Amino acid sequence: MNKRVCAAVLAIAALTTACGGEPVAAPPSTTTTTTTTAPPTTAELDARAKAAIAPPGAFDALGGVVAESVPANDSDPGEEGQAVAIVCGSGPILVDGMSVARTRIWTGRLSLFQRVHAAADRPAATLVESVRARAKLCSGSNADRQAGLSLPLAKPQGADEFYAFCMANLDPDLVPWSCQAVMGRGTLITVVVASGSTRAAAEAQLTAVTPVFAETFAKA
């Protein structure tokens, strides 16, 4: 065989017979391995929730004083299976899977509630979307509620998904207005509620404190 023809054949076909009769060696076989990751333990989830919730002194400069933490001590385990949110008095929105939550309430010059959920495998963005859909669904059912929904706050840095809204509390035993911000990042979700005697007061309070909550949440 002409040497030039032989060289051309070898360049086109990787597995062929060389011009001397010796077969070209086949490439080594490859194997595919599958690795599985063990789901996080409740202790690991609790550690994430603890890192994501705002510290007790986060609002000292604004006159906010911690009234309650659940659990009361950081060393105690967080709660499992807590509701993410209740919108317009409807049924609770749940994580639908293993999760650990921590809760904190501030009073004084502020009226704030925060709950952080660390989920095993539930995307937080999906839960934020559930809150958004529930709020929009009930917005047309009552004129007072419709006036307050969908608060146009910018998504904080570090959050994958964010939604904020206000609604009137029709129960006379409750504070007249509450505004909520829901932030999701990975499998972490936090709900922040600011309450006030008017929509403007609740909205202004939530607008002021959301960056403080987001700073701790984004680092967890």
Side-chain angles (χ1 to χ4, degrees):
M1 180 182 293
N2 183 279
K3 291 183 179 180
R4 292 184 178 180
V5 175
C6 181
V9 171
L10 286 173
I12 296 171
L15 300 178
T16 188
T17 301
C19 298
E22 293 296 330
V24 177
S29 60
T30 58
T31 58
T32 302
T33 58
T34 302
T35 59
T36 58
T37 303
T41 64
T42 54
E44 290 170 336
L45 294 177
D46 190 30
R48 293 197 66 203
K50 187 188 301 184
I53 196 167
F59 302 102
D60 286 351
L62 298 176
V65 180
V66 171
E68 183 179 1
S69 293
V70 181
N73 301 310
D74 280 351
S75 58
D76 294 335
E79 299 179 301
E80 297 182 43
Q82 293 298 299
V84 173
I86 298 177
V87 182
C88 296
S90 57
I93 295 173
L94 302 173
V95 173
D96 293 333
M98 187 171 69
S99 67
V100 177
R102 286 182 172 263
T103 304
R104 191 158 283 149
I105 299 171
W106 288 263
T107 56
R109 292 174 59 188
L110 301 175
S111 179
L112 299 175
F113 169 97
Q114 183 187 23
R115 177 171 287 159
V116 173
H117 301 259
D121 54 11
R122 178 76 159 162
T126 302
L127 293 167
V128 175
E129 183 56 39
S130 296
V131 174
R132 178 187 286 109
R134 185 76 62 85
K136 289 183 176 180
L137 183 65
C138 78
S139 64
S141 63
N142 182 280
D144 291 332
R145 286 175 174 159
Q146 185 176 10
L149 289 170
S150 297
L151 180 60
L153 290 181
K155 181 175 72 172
Q157 186 175 1
D160 296 337
E161 192 61 61
F162 178 79
Y163 179 64
F165 66 101
C166 296
M167 65 180 183
N169 297 318
L170 303 183
D171 187 337
D173 294 330
L174 298 177
V175 178
W177 279 90
S178 64
C179 292
Q180 301 186 32
V182 189
M183 287 180 276
R185 187 172 69 83
T187 54
L188 276 175
I189 186 169
T190 186
V191 178
V192 174
V193 182
S195 301
S197 57
T198 65
R199 176 191 171 187
E203 181 177 331
Q205 189 175 182
L206 185 68
T207 301
V209 301
T210 294
V212 181
F213 284 111
E215 182 178 2
T216 304
F217 184 72
K219 294 177 181 178

mmCIF file of all heavy atoms in Angstrom, residues 120-167:
data_model
loop_
_atom_site.group_PDB
_atom_site.id
_atom_site.type_symbol
_atom_site.label_atom_id
_atom_site.label_comp_id
_atom_site.label_asym_id
_atom_site.label_seq_id
_atom_site.Cartn_x
_atom_site.Cartn_y
_atom_site.Cartn_z
ATOM 1 N N ALA A 120 -34.887 19.603 54.248
ATOM 2 C CA ALA A 120 -33.953 18.570 53.803
ATOM 3 C C ALA A 120 -33.755 18.629 52.296
ATOM 4 O O ALA A 120 -32.625 18.585 51.807
ATOM 5 C CB ALA A 120 -34.453 17.193 54.219
ATOM 6 N N ASP A 121 -34.845 18.733 51.548
ATOM 7 C CA ASP A 121 -34.711 18.702 50.088
ATOM 8 C C ASP A 121 -35.767 19.528 49.357
ATOM 9 O O ASP A 121 -35.865 19.472 48.150
ATOM 10 C CB ASP A 121 -34.769 17.259 49.581
ATOM 11 C CG ASP A 121 -36.029 16.521 50.052
ATOM 12 O OD1 ASP A 121 -36.944 17.182 50.586
ATOM 13 O OD2 ASP A 121 -36.081 15.296 49.900
ATOM 14 N N ARG A 122 -36.550 20.298 50.072
ATOM 15 C CA ARG A 122 -37.605 21.093 49.442
ATOM 16 C C ARG A 122 -37.031 22.438 48.994
ATOM 17 O O ARG A 122 -36.557 23.212 49.829
ATOM 18 C CB ARG A 122 -38.739 21.317 50.438
ATOM 19 C CG ARG A 122 -39.881 22.159 49.925
ATOM 20 C CD ARG A 122 -40.757 21.404 48.996
ATOM 21 N NE ARG A 122 -42.082 22.037 48.897
ATOM 22 C CZ ARG A 122 -42.928 21.812 47.916
ATOM 23 N NH1 ARG A 122 -42.593 20.951 46.955
ATOM 24 N NH2 ARG A 122 -44.102 22.390 47.889
ATOM 25 N N PRO A 123 -37.034 22.757 47.692
ATOM 26 C CA PRO A 123 -36.500 24.048 47.242
ATOM 27 C C PRO A 123 -37.287 25.207 47.844
ATOM 28 O O PRO A 123 -38.506 25.259 47.748
ATOM 29 C CB PRO A 123 -36.663 23.987 45.720
ATOM 30 C CG PRO A 123 -36.774 22.533 45.390
ATOM 31 C CD PRO A 123 -37.471 21.909 46.561
ATOM 32 N N ALA A 124 -36.592 26.130 48.460
ATOM 33 C CA ALA A 124 -37.264 27.258 49.097
ATOM 34 C C ALA A 124 -37.993 28.125 48.082
ATOM 35 O O ALA A 124 -39.032 28.703 48.384
ATOM 36 C CB ALA A 124 -36.245 28.090 49.865
ATOM 37 N N ALA A 125 -37.461 28.219 46.863
ATOM 38 C CA ALA A 125 -38.110 29.036 45.839
ATOM 39 C C ALA A 125 -39.523 28.537 45.550
ATOM 40 O O ALA A 125 -40.427 29.326 45.275
ATOM 41 C CB ALA A 125 -37.272 29.028 44.562
ATOM 42 N N THR A 126 -39.729 27.217 45.634
ATOM 43 C CA THR A 126 -41.057 26.650 45.420
ATOM 44 C C THR A 126 -42.015 27.098 46.512
ATOM 45 O O THR A 126 -43.182 27.409 46.250
ATOM 46 C CB THR A 126 -40.975 25.113 45.396
ATOM 47 O OG1 THR A 126 -40.079 24.712 44.362
ATOM 48 C CG2 THR A 126 -42.334 24.490 45.139
ATOM 49 N N LEU A 127 -41.528 27.164 47.749
ATOM 50 C CA LEU A 127 -42.375 27.595 48.863
ATOM 51 C C LEU A 127 -42.707 29.080 48.754
ATOM 52 O O LEU A 127 -43.829 29.493 49.047
ATOM 53 C CB LEU A 127 -41.681 27.301 50.187
ATOM 54 C CG LEU A 127 -41.505 25.808 50.510
ATOM 55 C CD1 LEU A 127 -40.538 25.626 51.664
ATOM 56 C CD2 LEU A 127 -42.841 25.167 50.837
ATOM 57 N N VAL A 128 -41.749 29.885 48.336
ATOM 58 C CA VAL A 128 -42.017 31.313 48.138
ATOM 59 C C VAL A 128 -43.095 31.484 47.073
ATOM 60 O O VAL A 128 -44.007 32.304 47.216
ATOM 61 C CB VAL A 128 -40.733 32.068 47.741
ATOM 62 C CG1 VAL A 128 -41.047 33.534 47.425
ATOM 63 C CG2 VAL A 128 -39.702 31.994 48.856
ATOM 64 N N GLU A 129 -43.001 30.716 46.020
ATOM 65 C CA GLU A 129 -44.014 30.797 44.959
ATOM 66 C C GLU A 129 -45.382 30.367 45.465
ATOM 67 O O GLU A 129 -46.406 30.923 45.052
ATOM 68 C CB GLU A 129 -43.581 29.926 43.777
ATOM 69 C CG GLU A 129 -44.521 29.992 42.581
ATOM 70 C CD GLU A 129 -44.740 31.413 42.079
ATOM 71 O OE1 GLU A 129 -43.774 32.192 42.068
ATOM 72 O OE2 GLU A 129 -45.888 31.745 41.705
ATOM 73 N N SER A 130 -45.422 29.409 46.374
ATOM 74 C CA SER A 130 -46.697 28.989 46.961
ATOM 75 C C SER A 130 -47.337 30.122 47.750
ATOM 76 O O SER A 130 -48.551 30.339 47.689
ATOM 77 C CB SER A 130 -46.488 27.767 47.873
ATOM 78 O OG SER A 130 -46.038 26.658 47.140
ATOM 79 N N VAL A 131 -46.520 30.862 48.494
ATOM 80 C CA VAL A 131 -47.035 32.014 49.247
ATOM 81 C C VAL A 131 -47.550 33.076 48.279
ATOM 82 O O VAL A 131 -48.634 33.646 48.467
ATOM 83 C CB VAL A 131 -45.944 32.597 50.164
ATOM 84 C CG1 VAL A 131 -46.440 33.875 50.829
ATOM 85 C CG2 VAL A 131 -45.535 31.575 51.218
ATOM 86 N N ARG A 132 -46.797 33.358 47.231
ATOM 87 C CA ARG A 132 -47.204 34.360 46.247
ATOM 88 C C ARG A 132 -48.535 33.965 45.595
ATOM 89 O O ARG A 132 -49.448 34.795 45.461
ATOM 90 C CB ARG A 132 -46.131 34.511 45.179
ATOM 91 C CG ARG A 132 -46.502 35.519 44.082
ATOM 92 C CD ARG A 132 -45.519 35.536 42.944
ATOM 93 N NE ARG A 132 -44.277 36.186 43.272
ATOM 94 C CZ ARG A 132 -43.114 35.577 43.444
ATOM 95 N NH1 ARG A 132 -43.042 34.251 43.331
ATOM 96 N NH2 ARG A 132 -42.030 36.253 43.736
ATOM 97 N N ALA A 133 -48.658 32.705 45.204
ATOM 98 C CA ALA A 133 -49.880 32.247 44.547
ATOM 99 C C ALA A 133 -51.073 32.318 45.489
ATOM 100 O O ALA A 133 -52.176 32.718 45.088
ATOM 101 C CB ALA A 133 -49.689 30.819 44.038
ATOM 102 N N ARG A 134 -50.862 31.945 46.760
ATOM 103 C CA ARG A 134 -51.954 31.987 47.739
ATOM 104 C C ARG A 134 -52.396 33.433 47.981
ATOM 105 O O ARG A 134 -53.588 33.718 48.080
ATOM 106 C CB ARG A 134 -51.495 31.341 49.039
ATOM 107 C CG ARG A 134 -52.563 31.214 50.120
ATOM 108 C CD ARG A 134 -53.531 30.076 49.826
ATOM 109 N NE ARG A 134 -52.874 28.796 49.791
ATOM 110 C CZ ARG A 134 -52.618 28.038 50.862
ATOM 111 N NH1 ARG A 134 -52.943 28.471 52.077
ATOM 112 N NH2 ARG A 134 -52.049 26.842 50.729
ATOM 113 N N ALA A 135 -51.448 34.350 48.073
ATOM 114 C CA ALA A 135 -51.782 35.759 48.307
ATOM 115 C C ALA A 135 -52.565 36.342 47.138
ATOM 116 O O ALA A 135 -53.549 37.064 47.327
ATOM 117 C CB ALA A 135 -50.507 36.567 48.547
ATOM 118 N N LYS A 136 -52.148 36.018 45.932
ATOM 119 C CA LYS A 136 -52.846 36.543 44.766
ATOM 120 C C LYS A 136 -54.234 35.930 44.638
ATOM 121 O O LYS A 136 -55.176 36.581 44.178
ATOM 122 C CB LYS A 136 -52.027 36.268 43.508
ATOM 123 C CG LYS A 136 -50.760 37.111 43.422
ATOM 124 C CD LYS A 136 -50.015 36.862 42.129
ATOM 125 C CE LYS A 136 -48.798 37.780 42.019
ATOM 126 N NZ LYS A 136 -48.038 37.564 40.766
ATOM 127 N N LEU A 137 -54.360 34.675 45.050
ATOM 128 C CA LEU A 137 -55.648 34.000 44.959
ATOM 129 C C LEU A 137 -56.682 34.652 45.859
ATOM 130 O O LEU A 137 -57.862 34.780 45.498
ATOM 131 C CB LEU A 137 -55.478 32.525 45.331
ATOM 132 C CG LEU A 137 -56.726 31.643 45.229
ATOM 133 C CD1 LEU A 137 -57.182 31.540 43.771
ATOM 134 C CD2 LEU A 137 -56.452 30.255 45.784
ATOM 135 N N CYS A 138 -56.259 35.081 47.040
ATOM 136 C CA CYS A 138 -57.216 35.645 47.986
ATOM 137 C C CYS A 138 -57.348 37.155 47.865
ATOM 138 O O CYS A 138 -58.162 37.768 48.539
ATOM 139 C CB CYS A 138 -56.850 35.281 49.424
ATOM 140 S SG CYS A 138 -55.505 36.266 50.110
ATOM 141 N N SER A 139 -56.549 37.785 46.990
ATOM 142 C CA SER A 139 -56.541 39.243 46.919
ATOM 143 C C SER A 139 -57.866 39.819 46.442
ATOM 144 O O SER A 139 -58.211 40.942 46.786
ATOM 145 C CB SER A 139 -55.413 39.729 46.000
ATOM 146 O OG SER A 139 -55.645 39.300 44.670
ATOM 147 N N GLY A 140 -58.614 39.061 45.672
ATOM 148 C CA GLY A 140 -59.873 39.586 45.176
ATOM 149 C C GLY A 140 -61.069 39.256 46.043
ATOM 150 O O GLY A 140 -62.190 39.667 45.744
ATOM 151 N N SER A 141 -60.836 38.566 47.146
ATOM 152 C CA SER A 141 -61.960 38.124 47.965
ATOM 153 C C SER A 141 -62.414 39.182 48.962
ATOM 154 O O SER A 141 -63.496 39.080 49.524
ATOM 155 C CB SER A 141 -61.587 36.839 48.718
ATOM 156 O OG SER A 141 -60.504 37.094 49.613
ATOM 157 N N ASN A 142 -61.577 40.192 49.201
ATOM 158 C CA ASN A 142 -61.939 41.213 50.164
ATOM 159 C C ASN A 142 -61.264 42.522 49.770
ATOM 160 O O ASN A 142 -60.068 42.560 49.492
ATOM 161 C CB ASN A 142 -61.477 40.793 51.571
ATOM 162 C CG ASN A 142 -61.872 41.802 52.636
ATOM 163 O OD1 ASN A 142 -61.216 42.810 52.787
ATOM 164 N ND2 ASN A 142 -62.934 41.507 53.353
ATOM 165 N N ALA A 143 -62.022 43.616 49.739
ATOM 166 C CA ALA A 143 -61.484 44.890 49.255
ATOM 167 C C ALA A 143 -60.336 45.389 50.114
ATOM 168 O O ALA A 143 -59.344 45.927 49.612
ATOM 169 C CB ALA A 143 -62.590 45.930 49.209
ATOM 170 N N ASP A 144 -60.432 45.206 51.439
ATOM 171 C CA ASP A 144 -59.365 45.666 52.312
ATOM 172 C C ASP A 144 -58.069 44.902 52.055
ATOM 173 O O ASP A 144 -56.979 45.470 52.019
ATOM 174 C CB ASP A 144 -59.768 45.505 53.784
ATOM 175 C CG ASP A 144 -60.880 46.475 54.182
ATOM 176 O OD1 ASP A 144 -60.957 47.544 53.564
ATOM 177 O OD2 ASP A 144 -61.654 46.145 55.094
ATOM 178 N N ARG A 145 -58.187 43.604 51.887
ATOM 179 C CA ARG A 145 -57.001 42.797 51.633
ATOM 180 C C ARG A 145 -56.417 43.129 50.261
ATOM 181 O O ARG A 145 -55.213 43.218 50.076
ATOM 182 C CB ARG A 145 -57.352 41.310 51.712
ATOM 183 C CG ARG A 145 -57.571 40.831 53.141
ATOM 184 C CD ARG A 145 -58.025 39.388 53.165
ATOM 185 N NE ARG A 145 -58.104 38.898 54.535
ATOM 186 C CZ ARG A 145 -58.827 37.852 54.898
ATOM 187 N NH1 ARG A 145 -59.536 37.200 54.008
ATOM 188 N NH2 ARG A 145 -58.841 37.452 56.151
ATOM 189 N N GLN A 146 -57.284 43.288 49.291
ATOM 190 C CA GLN A 146 -56.813 43.571 47.946
ATOM 191 C C GLN A 146 -56.004 44.873 47.905
ATOM 192 O O GLN A 146 -55.026 44.990 47.178
ATOM 193 C CB GLN A 146 -57.997 43.683 46.983
ATOM 194 C CG GLN A 146 -57.601 43.854 45.521
ATOM 195 C CD GLN A 146 -58.809 43.853 44.608
ATOM 196 O OE1 GLN A 146 -59.937 43.900 45.059
ATOM 197 N NE2 GLN A 146 -58.562 43.788 43.317
ATOM 198 N N ALA A 147 -56.388 45.841 48.718
ATOM 199 C CA ALA A 147 -55.685 47.120 48.733
ATOM 200 C C ALA A 147 -54.259 46.979 49.231
ATOM 201 O O ALA A 147 -53.400 47.794 48.899
ATOM 202 C CB ALA A 147 -56.437 48.116 49.611
ATOM 203 N N GLY A 148 -53.991 45.942 50.030
ATOM 204 C CA GLY A 148 -52.683 45.877 50.652
ATOM 205 C C GLY A 148 -51.714 44.872 50.090
ATOM 206 O O GLY A 148 -50.553 44.869 50.470
ATOM 207 N N LEU A 149 -52.148 43.984 49.200
ATOM 208 C CA LEU A 149 -51.264 42.919 48.756
ATOM 209 C C LEU A 149 -50.177 43.417 47.804
ATOM 210 O O LEU A 149 -50.265 44.498 47.238
ATOM 211 C CB LEU A 149 -52.081 41.814 48.086
ATOM 212 C CG LEU A 149 -52.938 40.990 49.054
ATOM 213 C CD1 LEU A 149 -53.880 40.084 48.286
ATOM 214 C CD2 LEU A 149 -52.064 40.153 49.976
ATOM 215 N N SER A 150 -49.138 42.569 47.635
ATOM 216 C CA SER A 150 -48.031 42.806 46.701
ATOM 217 C C SER A 150 -47.274 44.090 47.006
ATOM 218 O O SER A 150 -47.447 45.123 46.346
ATOM 219 C CB SER A 150 -48.528 42.810 45.252
ATOM 220 O OG SER A 150 -49.049 41.557 44.909
ATOM 221 N N LEU A 151 -46.417 44.009 47.986
ATOM 222 C CA LEU A 151 -45.571 45.138 48.378
ATOM 223 C C LEU A 151 -44.318 45.139 47.500
ATOM 224 O O LEU A 151 -43.579 44.163 47.464
ATOM 225 C CB LEU A 151 -45.190 44.996 49.851
ATOM 226 C CG LEU A 151 -44.314 46.070 50.474
ATOM 227 C CD1 LEU A 151 -44.997 47.424 50.387
ATOM 228 C CD2 LEU A 151 -44.003 45.716 51.922
ATOM 229 N N PRO A 152 -44.059 46.218 46.773
ATOM 230 C CA PRO A 152 -42.943 46.231 45.807
ATOM 231 C C PRO A 152 -41.586 46.491 46.449
ATOM 232 O O PRO A 152 -40.979 47.547 46.265
ATOM 233 C CB PRO A 152 -43.339 47.372 44.856
ATOM 234 C CG PRO A 152 -44.101 48.319 45.711
ATOM 235 C CD PRO A 152 -44.851 47.461 46.706
ATOM 236 N N LEU A 153 -41.085 45.523 47.182
ATOM 237 C CA LEU A 153 -39.742 45.617 47.746
ATOM 238 C C LEU A 153 -38.760 44.881 46.836
ATOM 239 O O LEU A 153 -39.091 43.833 46.270
ATOM 240 C CB LEU A 153 -39.690 44.999 49.145
ATOM 241 C CG LEU A 153 -40.403 45.737 50.277
ATOM 242 C CD1 LEU A 153 -40.216 44.980 51.583
ATOM 243 C CD2 LEU A 153 -39.913 47.155 50.405
ATOM 244 N N ALA A 154 -37.554 45.416 46.707
ATOM 245 C CA ALA A 154 -36.535 44.771 45.884
ATOM 246 C C ALA A 154 -36.047 43.493 46.551
ATOM 247 O O ALA A 154 -35.954 43.415 47.774
ATOM 248 C CB ALA A 154 -35.365 45.728 45.658
ATOM 249 N N LYS A 155 -35.735 42.488 45.740
ATOM 250 C CA LYS A 155 -35.204 41.235 46.275
ATOM 251 C C LYS A 155 -33.842 41.480 46.913
ATOM 252 O O LYS A 155 -32.947 42.018 46.270
ATOM 253 C CB LYS A 155 -35.084 40.194 45.164
ATOM 254 C CG LYS A 155 -34.570 38.844 45.643
ATOM 255 C CD LYS A 155 -34.576 37.817 44.521
ATOM 256 C CE LYS A 155 -33.488 38.092 43.517
ATOM 257 N NZ LYS A 155 -33.362 37.002 42.520
ATOM 258 N N PRO A 156 -33.670 41.099 48.175
ATOM 259 C CA PRO A 156 -32.381 41.323 48.841
ATOM 260 C C PRO A 156 -31.270 40.495 48.207
ATOM 261 O O PRO A 156 -31.498 39.414 47.663
ATOM 262 C CB PRO A 156 -32.649 40.871 50.284
ATOM 263 C CG PRO A 156 -34.132 40.863 50.429
ATOM 264 C CD PRO A 156 -34.667 40.522 49.083
ATOM 265 N N GLN A 157 -30.060 41.003 48.291
ATOM 266 C CA GLN A 157 -28.908 40.281 47.777
ATOM 267 C C GLN A 157 -28.731 38.984 48.558
ATOM 268 O O GLN A 157 -28.811 38.957 49.777
ATOM 269 C CB GLN A 157 -27.648 41.137 47.893
ATOM 270 C CG GLN A 157 -26.420 40.524 47.247
ATOM 271 C CD GLN A 157 -25.233 41.464 47.272
ATOM 272 O OE1 GLN A 157 -25.325 42.571 47.788
ATOM 273 N NE2 GLN A 157 -24.113 41.042 46.718
ATOM 274 N N GLY A 158 -28.483 37.906 47.838
ATOM 275 C CA GLY A 158 -28.286 36.604 48.466
ATOM 276 C C GLY A 158 -29.517 35.734 48.488
ATOM 277 O O GLY A 158 -29.429 34.546 48.791
ATOM 278 N N ALA A 159 -30.686 36.283 48.165
ATOM 279 C CA ALA A 159 -31.922 35.497 48.130
ATOM 280 C C ALA A 159 -32.166 34.982 46.717
ATOM 281 O O ALA A 159 -31.984 35.708 45.740
ATOM 282 C CB ALA A 159 -33.104 36.339 48.587
ATOM 283 N N ASP A 160 -32.574 33.712 46.605
ATOM 284 C CA ASP A 160 -32.934 33.152 45.304
ATOM 285 C C ASP A 160 -34.314 33.639 44.869
ATOM 286 O O ASP A 160 -34.548 33.873 43.687
ATOM 287 C CB ASP A 160 -32.947 31.617 45.357
ATOM 288 C CG ASP A 160 -31.582 31.029 45.647
ATOM 289 O OD1 ASP A 160 -30.572 31.716 45.379
ATOM 290 O OD2 ASP A 160 -31.519 29.890 46.140
ATOM 291 N N GLU A 161 -35.188 33.756 45.816
ATOM 292 C CA GLU A 161 -36.573 34.149 45.531
ATOM 293 C C GLU A 161 -37.070 35.012 46.677
ATOM 294 O O GLU A 161 -36.676 34.831 47.831
ATOM 295 C CB GLU A 161 -37.446 32.906 45.369
ATOM 296 C CG GLU A 161 -38.824 33.163 44.786
ATOM 297 C CD GLU A 161 -38.766 33.759 43.388
ATOM 298 O OE1 GLU A 161 -38.227 33.118 42.468
ATOM 299 O OE2 GLU A 161 -39.253 34.903 43.242
ATOM 300 N N PHE A 162 -37.975 35.949 46.356
ATOM 301 C CA PHE A 162 -38.443 36.894 47.365
ATOM 302 C C PHE A 162 -39.836 37.378 46.998
ATOM 303 O O PHE A 162 -40.151 37.597 45.831
ATOM 304 C CB PHE A 162 -37.483 38.082 47.442
ATOM 305 C CG PHE A 162 -37.882 39.162 48.419
ATOM 306 C CD1 PHE A 162 -37.652 39.009 49.768
ATOM 307 C CD2 PHE A 162 -38.497 40.320 47.970
ATOM 308 C CE1 PHE A 162 -38.017 40.003 50.675
ATOM 309 C CE2 PHE A 162 -38.860 41.326 48.851
ATOM 310 C CZ PHE A 162 -38.622 41.164 50.212
ATOM 311 N N TYR A 163 -40.670 37.539 48.023
ATOM 312 C CA TYR A 163 -42.007 38.089 47.809
ATOM 313 C C TYR A 163 -42.440 38.799 49.085
ATOM 314 O O TYR A 163 -42.213 38.305 50.192
ATOM 315 C CB TYR A 163 -43.007 36.989 47.466
ATOM 316 C CG TYR A 163 -44.418 37.500 47.247
ATOM 317 C CD1 TYR A 163 -44.715 38.360 46.201
ATOM 318 C CD2 TYR A 163 -45.452 37.123 48.097
ATOM 319 C CE1 TYR A 163 -45.999 38.829 45.998
ATOM 320 C CE2 TYR A 163 -46.748 37.582 47.895
ATOM 321 C CZ TYR A 163 -47.008 38.436 46.843
ATOM 322 O OH TYR A 163 -48.283 38.912 46.643
ATOM 323 N N ALA A 164 -43.046 39.967 48.926
ATOM 324 C CA ALA A 164 -43.524 40.734 50.075
ATOM 325 C C ALA A 164 -44.947 41.200 49.806
ATOM 326 O O ALA A 164 -45.294 41.546 48.670
ATOM 327 C CB ALA A 164 -42.614 41.927 50.345
ATOM 328 N N PHE A 165 -45.755 41.214 50.844
ATOM 329 C CA PHE A 165 -47.144 41.640 50.696
ATOM 330 C C PHE A 165 -47.678 42.121 52.040
ATOM 331 O O PHE A 165 -47.111 41.830 53.097
ATOM 332 C CB PHE A 165 -48.018 40.503 50.155
ATOM 333 C CG PHE A 165 -48.157 39.334 51.096
ATOM 334 C CD1 PHE A 165 -49.299 39.169 51.878
ATOM 335 C CD2 PHE A 165 -47.162 38.373 51.199
ATOM 336 C CE1 PHE A 165 -49.434 38.094 52.739
ATOM 337 C CE2 PHE A 165 -47.285 37.295 52.050
ATOM 338 C CZ PHE A 165 -48.426 37.156 52.827
ATOM 339 N N CYS A 166 -48.776 42.860 51.994
ATOM 340 C CA CYS A 166 -49.448 43.329 53.211
ATOM 341 C C CYS A 166 -50.901 42.894 53.163
ATOM 342 O O CYS A 166 -51.474 42.719 52.075
ATOM 343 C CB CYS A 166 -49.390 44.854 53.323
ATOM 344 S SG CYS A 166 -47.730 45.539 53.495
ATOM 345 N N MET A 167 -51.500 42.719 54.315
ATOM 346 C CA MET A 167 -52.925 42.398 54.355
ATOM 347 C C MET A 167 -53.535 42.887 55.655
ATOM 348 O O MET A 167 -52.862 43.000 56.682
ATOM 349 C CB MET A 167 -53.156 40.888 54.189
ATOM 350 C CG MET A 167 -52.632 40.020 55.290
ATOM 351 S SD MET A 167 -52.974 38.266 54.965
ATOM 352 C CE MET A 167 -52.312 37.537 56.454
#
